[in-house]
Amino acid sequence: QVQLVESGGGLVQAGGSLKLSCAASGTILSIAMMGWYRQAPGKQRELVAVAHDGDTNYADSAKGRFTISRDNAKNTVDLTMNSLKPEDTAVYYCNIWVAGVGGARTYWGQGTQVTVSS
């Protein structure tokens, strides 16, 4: 049983900053990947940033503005978003992958709304 709790979403003006946090709880031996996705109305869910094997990757739209930070000891992952734009408006979802003897499993948070006003 794994649960992801997201926080930090809200309303911010263009050019502002916001920090999203995700905490994983439950029976977790090892998390292979922690990342953030987002989905805007009428669009597919897209990858924003991911932390995997000590590396980080970002969507082109997030590079230079967003920073993903993972704390393995606390099983948390944050997404610091700077220089926000109206097009960043979306529901942001925390996602993790857990690898074990039973195979890989993925878990999703409920999502947190980020709204950027112009």
Side-chain angles (χ1 to χ4, degrees), residues 55-88:
D55 296 323
T56 57
N57 289 282
Y58 299 89
D60 288 341
S61 61
K63 291 179 180 177
R65 299 189 299 124
F66 294 4
T67 302
I68 188 168
S69 179
R70 176 180 174 179
D71 189 328
N72 293 328
K74 298 171 63 177
N75 287 332
T76 60
V77 61
D78 298 334
L79 183 68
T80 301
M81 304 183 292
N82 298 316
S83 301
L84 283 163
K85 306 173 181 178
E87 49 262 45
D88 294 318

mmCIF file of all heavy atoms in Angstrom, residues 55-88:
data_model
loop_
_atom_site.group_PDB
_atom_site.id
_atom_site.type_symbol
_atom_site.label_atom_id
_atom_site.label_comp_id
_atom_site.label_asym_id
_atom_site.label_seq_id
_atom_site.Cartn_x
_atom_site.Cartn_y
_atom_site.Cartn_z
ATOM 1 N N ASP A 55 20.052 11.063 -11.888
ATOM 2 C CA ASP A 55 19.972 12.072 -12.940
ATOM 3 C C ASP A 55 18.604 12.733 -12.943
ATOM 4 O O ASP A 55 17.637 12.201 -12.404
ATOM 5 C CB ASP A 55 20.250 11.454 -14.311
ATOM 6 C CG ASP A 55 21.648 10.900 -14.441
ATOM 7 O OD1 ASP A 55 22.586 11.521 -13.890
ATOM 8 O OD2 ASP A 55 21.817 9.851 -15.096
ATOM 9 N N THR A 56 18.554 13.870 -13.576
ATOM 10 C CA THR A 56 17.292 14.572 -13.736
ATOM 11 C C THR A 56 17.072 14.909 -15.197
ATOM 12 O O THR A 56 18.021 15.176 -15.934
ATOM 13 C CB THR A 56 17.245 15.866 -12.904
ATOM 14 O OG1 THR A 56 18.340 16.714 -13.279
ATOM 15 C CG2 THR A 56 17.347 15.544 -11.419
ATOM 16 N N ASN A 57 15.830 14.884 -15.597
ATOM 17 C CA ASN A 57 15.464 15.243 -16.955
ATOM 18 C C ASN A 57 14.243 16.140 -16.913
ATOM 19 O O ASN A 57 13.375 15.987 -16.054
ATOM 20 C CB ASN A 57 15.180 13.995 -17.796
ATOM 21 C CG ASN A 57 16.425 13.202 -18.107
ATOM 22 O OD1 ASN A 57 17.204 13.570 -18.985
ATOM 23 N ND2 ASN A 57 16.634 12.110 -17.381
ATOM 24 N N TYR A 58 14.184 17.041 -17.871
ATOM 25 C CA TYR A 58 13.109 18.012 -17.915
ATOM 26 C C TYR A 58 12.510 18.105 -19.301
ATOM 27 O O TYR A 58 13.194 17.910 -20.308
ATOM 28 C CB TYR A 58 13.618 19.400 -17.520
ATOM 29 C CG TYR A 58 14.169 19.485 -16.127
ATOM 30 C CD1 TYR A 58 15.511 19.219 -15.866
ATOM 31 C CD2 TYR A 58 13.356 19.850 -15.063
ATOM 32 C CE1 TYR A 58 16.021 19.296 -14.586
ATOM 33 C CE2 TYR A 58 13.857 19.932 -13.780
ATOM 34 C CZ TYR A 58 15.192 19.653 -13.547
ATOM 35 O OH TYR A 58 15.686 19.743 -12.262
ATOM 36 N N ALA A 59 11.236 18.413 -19.330
ATOM 37 C CA ALA A 59 10.618 18.767 -20.590
ATOM 38 C C ALA A 59 11.238 20.060 -21.087
ATOM 39 O O ALA A 59 11.712 20.886 -20.296
ATOM 40 C CB ALA A 59 9.111 18.931 -20.420
ATOM 41 N N ASP A 60 11.245 20.231 -22.398
ATOM 42 C CA ASP A 60 11.839 21.435 -22.961
ATOM 43 C C ASP A 60 11.211 22.695 -22.381
ATOM 44 O O ASP A 60 11.896 23.699 -22.146
ATOM 45 C CB ASP A 60 11.695 21.433 -24.486
ATOM 46 C CG ASP A 60 12.599 20.417 -25.155
ATOM 47 O OD1 ASP A 60 13.578 19.981 -24.522
ATOM 48 O OD2 ASP A 60 12.326 20.066 -26.320
ATOM 49 N N SER A 61 9.922 22.646 -22.135
ATOM 50 C CA SER A 61 9.223 23.808 -21.618
ATOM 51 C C SER A 61 9.611 24.141 -20.185
ATOM 52 O O SER A 61 9.374 25.257 -19.721
ATOM 53 C CB SER A 61 7.707 23.594 -21.701
ATOM 54 O OG SER A 61 7.315 22.470 -20.932
ATOM 55 N N ALA A 62 10.201 23.168 -19.484
ATOM 56 C CA ALA A 62 10.555 23.362 -18.087
ATOM 57 C C ALA A 62 12.025 23.675 -17.869
ATOM 58 O O ALA A 62 12.394 24.193 -16.804
ATOM 59 C CB ALA A 62 10.191 22.118 -17.279
ATOM 60 N N LYS A 63 12.851 23.376 -18.834
ATOM 61 C CA LYS A 63 14.284 23.574 -18.692
ATOM 62 C C LYS A 63 14.615 25.031 -18.398
ATOM 63 O O LYS A 63 14.116 25.943 -19.042
ATOM 64 C CB LYS A 63 15.013 23.125 -19.957
ATOM 65 C CG LYS A 63 15.000 21.632 -20.181
ATOM 66 C CD LYS A 63 15.728 21.262 -21.472
ATOM 67 C CE LYS A 63 15.712 19.758 -21.696
ATOM 68 N NZ LYS A 63 16.359 19.380 -22.978
ATOM 69 N N GLY A 64 15.464 25.219 -17.406
ATOM 70 C CA GLY A 64 15.882 26.552 -17.036
ATOM 71 C C GLY A 64 14.951 27.267 -16.091
ATOM 72 O O GLY A 64 15.319 28.297 -15.531
ATOM 73 N N ARG A 65 13.758 26.731 -15.902
ATOM 74 C CA ARG A 65 12.777 27.366 -15.030
ATOM 75 C C ARG A 65 12.378 26.492 -13.852
ATOM 76 O O ARG A 65 12.126 26.994 -12.762
ATOM 77 C CB ARG A 65 11.523 27.743 -15.820
ATOM 78 C CG ARG A 65 11.759 28.728 -16.948
ATOM 79 C CD ARG A 65 10.437 29.214 -17.534
ATOM 80 N NE ARG A 65 9.649 28.110 -18.088
ATOM 81 C CZ ARG A 65 8.397 27.823 -17.720
ATOM 82 N NH1 ARG A 65 7.790 28.563 -16.802
ATOM 83 N NH2 ARG A 65 7.751 26.812 -18.289
ATOM 84 N N PHE A 66 12.305 25.188 -14.084
ATOM 85 C CA PHE A 66 11.868 24.254 -13.050
ATOM 86 C C PHE A 66 13.050 23.447 -12.538
ATOM 87 O O PHE A 66 13.986 23.140 -13.284
ATOM 88 C CB PHE A 66 10.815 23.291 -13.599
ATOM 89 C CG PHE A 66 9.508 23.934 -13.986
ATOM 90 C CD1 PHE A 66 9.315 25.302 -13.920
ATOM 91 C CD2 PHE A 66 8.455 23.135 -14.422
ATOM 92 C CE1 PHE A 66 8.116 25.885 -14.280
ATOM 93 C CE2 PHE A 66 7.250 23.699 -14.784
ATOM 94 C CZ PHE A 66 7.075 25.072 -14.718
ATOM 95 N N THR A 67 12.980 23.072 -11.282
ATOM 96 C CA THR A 67 14.005 22.241 -10.680
ATOM 97 C C THR A 67 13.353 21.138 -9.862
ATOM 98 O O THR A 67 12.521 21.417 -8.993
ATOM 99 C CB THR A 67 14.940 23.052 -9.769
ATOM 100 O OG1 THR A 67 15.561 24.099 -10.517
ATOM 101 C CG2 THR A 67 16.022 22.149 -9.191
ATOM 102 N N ILE A 68 13.711 19.895 -10.158
ATOM 103 C CA ILE A 68 13.200 18.772 -9.395
ATOM 104 C C ILE A 68 14.240 18.378 -8.361
ATOM 105 O O ILE A 68 15.440 18.345 -8.641
ATOM 106 C CB ILE A 68 12.836 17.583 -10.308
ATOM 107 C CG1 ILE A 68 12.129 16.487 -9.503
ATOM 108 C CG2 ILE A 68 14.055 17.035 -11.033
ATOM 109 C CD1 ILE A 68 11.489 15.407 -10.372
ATOM 110 N N SER A 69 13.775 18.099 -7.160
ATOM 111 C CA SER A 69 14.657 17.755 -6.067
ATOM 112 C C SER A 69 14.092 16.559 -5.316
ATOM 113 O O SER A 69 12.950 16.592 -4.860
ATOM 114 C CB SER A 69 14.826 18.946 -5.116
ATOM 115 O OG SER A 69 15.669 18.624 -4.035
ATOM 116 N N ARG A 70 14.899 15.516 -5.201
ATOM 117 C CA ARG A 70 14.463 14.288 -4.560
ATOM 118 C C ARG A 70 15.248 14.045 -3.281
ATOM 119 O O ARG A 70 16.469 14.191 -3.260
ATOM 120 C CB ARG A 70 14.634 13.108 -5.531
ATOM 121 C CG ARG A 70 14.306 11.751 -4.960
ATOM 122 C CD ARG A 70 14.504 10.673 -6.012
ATOM 123 N NE ARG A 70 14.327 9.338 -5.470
ATOM 124 C CZ ARG A 70 14.427 8.219 -6.178
ATOM 125 N NH1 ARG A 70 14.701 8.274 -7.477
ATOM 126 N NH2 ARG A 70 14.254 7.044 -5.588
ATOM 127 N N ASP A 71 14.533 13.669 -2.247
ATOM 128 C CA ASP A 71 15.142 13.301 -0.978
ATOM 129 C C ASP A 71 14.859 11.824 -0.751
ATOM 130 O O ASP A 71 13.748 11.449 -0.373
ATOM 131 C CB ASP A 71 14.584 14.144 0.158
ATOM 132 C CG ASP A 71 15.346 13.941 1.453
ATOM 133 O OD1 ASP A 71 15.851 12.836 1.697
ATOM 134 O OD2 ASP A 71 15.428 14.903 2.247
ATOM 135 N N ASN A 72 15.846 10.986 -0.995
ATOM 136 C CA ASN A 72 15.660 9.547 -0.881
ATOM 137 C C ASN A 72 15.379 9.095 0.547
ATOM 138 O O ASN A 72 14.654 8.128 0.762
ATOM 139 C CB ASN A 72 16.897 8.818 -1.421
ATOM 140 C CG ASN A 72 17.078 8.985 -2.910
ATOM 141 O OD1 ASN A 72 16.110 9.103 -3.656
ATOM 142 N ND2 ASN A 72 18.320 8.994 -3.358
ATOM 143 N N ALA A 73 15.953 9.782 1.513
ATOM 144 C CA ALA A 73 15.763 9.407 2.906
ATOM 145 C C ALA A 73 14.336 9.657 3.368
ATOM 146 O O ALA A 73 13.811 8.932 4.213
ATOM 147 C CB ALA A 73 16.751 10.147 3.798
ATOM 148 N N LYS A 74 13.709 10.672 2.828
ATOM 149 C CA LYS A 74 12.364 11.049 3.239
ATOM 150 C C LYS A 74 11.297 10.600 2.253
ATOM 151 O O LYS A 74 10.101 10.785 2.514
ATOM 152 C CB LYS A 74 12.282 12.559 3.429
ATOM 153 C CG LYS A 74 13.202 13.090 4.510
ATOM 154 C CD LYS A 74 13.252 14.607 4.517
ATOM 155 C CE LYS A 74 11.914 15.212 4.838
ATOM 156 N NZ LYS A 74 11.989 16.701 4.926
ATOM 157 N N ASN A 75 11.719 10.033 1.125
ATOM 158 C CA ASN A 75 10.789 9.620 0.071
ATOM 159 C C ASN A 75 9.899 10.772 -0.377
ATOM 160 O O ASN A 75 8.675 10.646 -0.477
ATOM 161 C CB ASN A 75 9.935 8.428 0.518
ATOM 162 C CG ASN A 75 10.714 7.133 0.556
ATOM 163 O OD1 ASN A 75 11.682 6.952 -0.185
ATOM 164 N ND2 ASN A 75 10.299 6.212 1.411
ATOM 165 N N THR A 76 10.541 11.877 -0.617
ATOM 166 C CA THR A 76 9.828 13.048 -1.095
ATOM 167 C C THR A 76 10.465 13.567 -2.371
ATOM 168 O O THR A 76 11.638 13.318 -2.644
ATOM 169 C CB THR A 76 9.817 14.181 -0.058
ATOM 170 O OG1 THR A 76 11.168 14.569 0.236
ATOM 171 C CG2 THR A 76 9.125 13.735 1.215
ATOM 172 N N VAL A 77 9.692 14.283 -3.134
ATOM 173 C CA VAL A 77 10.189 14.933 -4.331
ATOM 174 C C VAL A 77 9.497 16.279 -4.458
ATOM 175 O O VAL A 77 8.286 16.380 -4.270
ATOM 176 C CB VAL A 77 9.984 14.067 -5.588
ATOM 177 C CG1 VAL A 77 8.503 13.785 -5.836
ATOM 178 C CG2 VAL A 77 10.624 14.714 -6.802
ATOM 179 N N ASP A 78 10.277 17.291 -4.739
ATOM 180 C CA ASP A 78 9.760 18.635 -4.885
ATOM 181 C C ASP A 78 9.957 19.122 -6.306
ATOM 182 O O ASP A 78 10.844 18.668 -7.017
ATOM 183 C CB ASP A 78 10.466 19.603 -3.935
ATOM 184 C CG ASP A 78 10.273 19.257 -2.474
ATOM 185 O OD1 ASP A 78 9.259 18.618 -2.136
ATOM 186 O OD2 ASP A 78 11.145 19.633 -1.662
ATOM 187 N N LEU A 79 9.137 20.031 -6.694
ATOM 188 C CA LEU A 79 9.282 20.693 -7.981
ATOM 189 C C LEU A 79 9.209 22.187 -7.742
ATOM 190 O O LEU A 79 8.143 22.709 -7.413
ATOM 191 C CB LEU A 79 8.196 20.256 -8.967
ATOM 192 C CG LEU A 79 8.309 20.842 -10.374
ATOM 193 C CD1 LEU A 79 9.536 20.280 -11.091
ATOM 194 C CD2 LEU A 79 7.047 20.568 -11.186
ATOM 195 N N THR A 80 10.338 22.839 -7.887
ATOM 196 C CA THR A 80 10.393 24.284 -7.738
ATOM 197 C C THR A 80 10.213 24.917 -9.100
ATOM 198 O O THR A 80 10.979 24.644 -10.022
ATOM 199 C CB THR A 80 11.729 24.723 -7.120
ATOM 200 O OG1 THR A 80 11.890 24.104 -5.841
ATOM 201 C CG2 THR A 80 11.761 26.232 -6.944
ATOM 202 N N MET A 81 9.200 25.735 -9.224
ATOM 203 C CA MET A 81 8.851 26.339 -10.498
ATOM 204 C C MET A 81 9.057 27.842 -10.404
ATOM 205 O O MET A 81 8.432 28.509 -9.586
ATOM 206 C CB MET A 81 7.404 26.010 -10.867
ATOM 207 C CG MET A 81 7.112 24.513 -10.910
ATOM 208 S SD MET A 81 5.419 24.134 -11.443
ATOM 209 C CE MET A 81 4.505 24.758 -10.030
ATOM 210 N N ASN A 82 9.924 28.340 -11.247
ATOM 211 C CA ASN A 82 10.212 29.759 -11.314
ATOM 212 C C ASN A 82 9.789 30.320 -12.660
ATOM 213 O O ASN A 82 9.594 29.585 -13.622
ATOM 214 C CB ASN A 82 11.702 30.019 -11.093
ATOM 215 C CG ASN A 82 12.189 29.575 -9.737
ATOM 216 O OD1 ASN A 82 11.539 29.807 -8.724
ATOM 217 N ND2 ASN A 82 13.362 28.940 -9.704
ATOM 218 N N SER A 83 9.669 31.622 -12.715
ATOM 219 C CA SER A 83 9.299 32.312 -13.954
ATOM 220 C C SER A 83 8.080 31.675 -14.602
ATOM 221 O O SER A 83 8.058 31.379 -15.798
ATOM 222 C CB SER A 83 10.482 32.308 -14.929
ATOM 223 O OG SER A 83 11.615 32.938 -14.363
ATOM 224 N N LEU A 84 7.069 31.464 -13.817
ATOM 225 C CA LEU A 84 5.876 30.774 -14.294
ATOM 226 C C LEU A 84 5.161 31.565 -15.381
ATOM 227 O O LEU A 84 5.120 32.797 -15.354
ATOM 228 C CB LEU A 84 4.932 30.494 -13.138
ATOM 229 C CG LEU A 84 5.360 29.323 -12.246
ATOM 230 C CD1 LEU A 84 4.642 29.371 -10.911
ATOM 231 C CD2 LEU A 84 5.089 27.997 -12.953
ATOM 232 N N LYS A 85 4.598 30.821 -16.318
ATOM 233 C CA LYS A 85 3.874 31.377 -17.438
ATOM 234 C C LYS A 85 2.441 30.869 -17.415
ATOM 235 O O LYS A 85 2.168 29.805 -16.865
ATOM 236 C CB LYS A 85 4.526 30.971 -18.764
ATOM 237 C CG LYS A 85 6.011 31.288 -18.871
ATOM 238 C CD LYS A 85 6.595 30.693 -20.143
ATOM 239 C CE LYS A 85 8.079 30.965 -20.252
ATOM 240 N NZ LYS A 85 8.660 30.345 -21.481
ATOM 241 N N PRO A 86 1.519 31.605 -18.029
ATOM 242 C CA PRO A 86 0.133 31.123 -18.077
ATOM 243 C C PRO A 86 0.007 29.727 -18.677
ATOM 244 O O PRO A 86 -0.872 28.960 -18.259
ATOM 245 C CB PRO A 86 -0.569 32.170 -18.946
ATOM 246 C CG PRO A 86 0.209 33.418 -18.696
ATOM 247 C CD PRO A 86 1.637 32.968 -18.574
ATOM 248 N N GLU A 87 0.865 29.383 -19.627
ATOM 249 C CA GLU A 87 0.805 28.067 -20.238
ATOM 250 C C GLU A 87 1.249 26.949 -19.302
ATOM 251 O O GLU A 87 1.125 25.767 -19.642
ATOM 252 C CB GLU A 87 1.631 28.014 -21.532
ATOM 253 C CG GLU A 87 3.033 28.567 -21.392
ATOM 254 C CD GLU A 87 3.143 30.007 -21.863
ATOM 255 O OE1 GLU A 87 2.266 30.821 -21.513
ATOM 256 O OE2 GLU A 87 4.116 30.317 -22.596
ATOM 257 N N ASP A 88 1.769 27.295 -18.140
ATOM 258 C CA ASP A 88 2.090 26.295 -17.131
ATOM 259 C C ASP A 88 0.862 25.859 -16.349
ATOM 260 O O ASP A 88 0.941 24.915 -15.555
ATOM 261 C CB ASP A 88 3.140 26.827 -16.154
ATOM 262 C CG ASP A 88 4.485 27.072 -16.816
ATOM 263 O OD1 ASP A 88 4.915 26.237 -17.631
ATOM 264 O OD2 ASP A 88 5.113 28.104 -16.498
#
